[in-house]
Amino acid sequence: MRVLVTGGAGFIGSHVVDALRSGGHEVVVLDNLSHGSREVLPPSVPFIEGDILEPDQWVAAVGSVDVVIHLAAQIRVEYAESHPEVDVRTNVEGTVRILQAARALGAREIRFASSAAVYGDNPHVPLAEDATCAPISYYGLDKWTGEHYVRFEESRGGLAAVILRLANVYGPRQRTAGEGGVVAVFAEALARGDRPWIHGDGQQTRDFISVWDVARAFTHRLGSPEASGTYNIGTETATTVNTLWQHLAQIAGVDVKAVRYGPARPGDIRHSRLRTARARQWGFEPRVPLVEGLRLTYEDFVARAHAAP
C-alpha cells in the first residue's frame, strides 16, 4: 500500500517509516522539521517539507494514498501548559486538517497517535480503553479531543480509524523533549558524563515501551478495515523512575547515587500503566525487554555524543 506518514522525520515517525518499508509498503513523509530531521530517513524515501495546518500547500504533491498515519504533533507537556493555544492549534486543528486531507487523498484508513495522557491521574491502574478519560494536562486534553474528531470522521463513512494510545515510548533517535522523554534525559546525561535530575521523589511509575514495538503497532494489520478501534499500546508493566534510573546507571557503569532530585513538574501524572488485553486480542504484543531496549537506546546516545562537533 501507499502510506503517508505525518511527522515521519521524527523519533517515532522515522521508526514507523522503517517498519513500513520492511513490510514492502510505499511511503511518503510529510514533516515541517520543527522537531524531526531529514537525516534519519533513507534518501530514497519521498519527503515533503510541509505543515499539517496548510494541506493546500502539499496535498497535490503527495498524490493518492491508501493509508494516513498521523504522528505530527506538539509533544511537550510542559510547553502545552504555558502555551495551550499552540497545543490546540497543532494537536486539534492539525488533526482536523489531516482528516480533511485524508479524504482528499483518497485514503481508506487513518491511524492516529494518541497518548496514555488522555486518562489523566486515574488511580485504577492498569487502565483499559473504557476507563474514564480525565486529562490533567492540556496535552492530554487535546489528544483526547483529537480522538473525538477522528471517530466522528470515521462515522461519516469510508474512512476506517485506528487510534493508538501510547504509553511512554523510548528508543534511539529520541530527543530530550516530550511526554516520554525521561529515558532520553537520563541517557543523554549519562552519555555526556552529566548528573541528571529526577523531578519529584522518583516513585512515580510509567509503562515504558520501545519505539520498535510502537512502530510494529502502527503497521500491524495495516489496511484491514476490521482492525478499526482504539488500542492501548504498552507493556502492562509499571516501572518507577528510580528503577529506570538504576537500570540505565548500571548499563552505563556509573554510581546509581549520581542523580539529583528536584520539584515535581505541573501536569505530571503520578502513576500510569495500561491494560493491553484489547491489543493482544488484535494480535499485537510487545517484544523488546526493557533492559535490552534501554541498552540499545543508551548506545545510540553515546554514538550521537561522540559524533557531535
Side-chain angles (χ1 to χ4, degrees):
M1 287 177 291
R2 193 163 194 265
V3 184
L4 170 66
V5 182
T6 73
F11 162 49
I12 296 176
S14 62
H15 285 276
V16 170
V17 170
D18 290 344
L20 287 167
R21 282 164 53 83
S22 295
H25 301 291
E26 183 183 352
V27 185
V28 181
V29 168
L30 173 75
D31 202 300
N32 67 1
L33 300 181
S34 59
H35 299 292
S37 170
R38 183 71 178 86
E39 295 176 0
V40 300
L41 296 172
S44 60
V45 172
F47 175 81
I48 298 170
E49 185 173 351
D51 196 303
I52 58 174
L53 290 164
E54 299 176 346
D56 290 347
Q57 303 297 316
W58 50 260
V59 164
V62 172
S64 62
V65 298
D66 301 296
V67 180
V68 174
I69 296 179
H70 180 38
L71 299 165
Q74 195 295 113
I75 60 173
R76 293 175 292 168
V77 177
E78 277 191 292
Y79 182 84
E81 292 301 296
S82 56
H83 299 83
E85 73 288 352
V86 177
D87 203 73
V88 169
R89 184 159 168 75
T90 304
N91 291 350
V92 179
E93 184 181 344
T95 297
V96 173
R97 297 279 189 176
I98 289 299
L99 289 166
Q100 294 171 327
R103 295 284 190 188
L105 294 167
R108 303 188 302 272
E109 179 180 339
I110 184 160
R111 298 204 164 189
F112 175 66
S114 188
S115 167
V118 302
Y119 296 114
D121 211 356
N122 189 325
H124 303 294
V125 294
L127 296 165
E129 290 85 351
D130 58 358
T132 299
C133 289
I136 62 170
S137 65
Y138 284 112
Y139 173 80
L141 176 60
D142 292 337
K143 279 295 186 181
W144 191 37
T145 303
E147 287 190 15
H148 286 286
Y149 276 100
V150 171
R151 284 282 166 244
F152 177 76
E153 193 64 31
E154 181 184 43
S155 72
R156 300 176 69 188
L159 188 66
V162 172
I163 294 172
L164 301 185
R165 290 175 176 169
L166 306 180
N168 285 68
V169 187
Y170 72 91
R173 306 176 195 160
Q174 190 172 24
R175 298 188 179 188
T176 53
E179 181 194 5
V182 63
V183 173
V185 169
F186 288 169
E188 183 178 74
L190 288 167
R192 292 179 174 178
D194 297 333
R195 294 177 61 201
W197 288 88
I198 289 178
H199 298 284
D201 61 7
Q203 290 303 111
Q204 58 268 45
T205 59
R206 295 292 183 267
D207 185 345
F208 294 101
I209 185 166
S210 78
V211 71
W212 302 283
D213 286 323
V214 168
R216 283 196 308 108
F218 273 105
T219 59
H220 180 65
R221 294 179 63 181
L222 197 68
S224 302
E226 67 277 10
S228 175
T230 299
Y231 303 94
N232 286 336
I233 303 300
T235 66
E236 213 165 293
T237 300
T239 302
T240 69
V241 173
N242 285 331
T243 298
L244 177 77
W245 160 250
Q246 290 164 11
H247 286 322
L248 278 164
Q250 289 168 1
I251 289 167
V254 304
D255 189 340
V256 296
K257 296 179 181 179
V259 69
R260 296 171 286 183
Y261 288 84
R265 296 181 301 183
D268 268 1
I269 294 169
R270 181 65 176 171
H271 297 293
S272 179
R273 179 162 61 103
L274 300 181
R275 187 178 297 281
T276 58
R278 185 181 293 180
R280 292 196 301 272
Q281 292 171 356
W282 187 42
F284 172 80
E285 290 195 52
R287 297 174 182 170
V288 181
L290 178 61
V291 173
E292 175 64 10
L294 292 177
R295 182 184 66 79
L296 295 170
T297 302
Y298 172 68
E299 290 174 355
D300 175 73
F301 273 89
V302 170
R304 280 193 274 168
H306 289 167

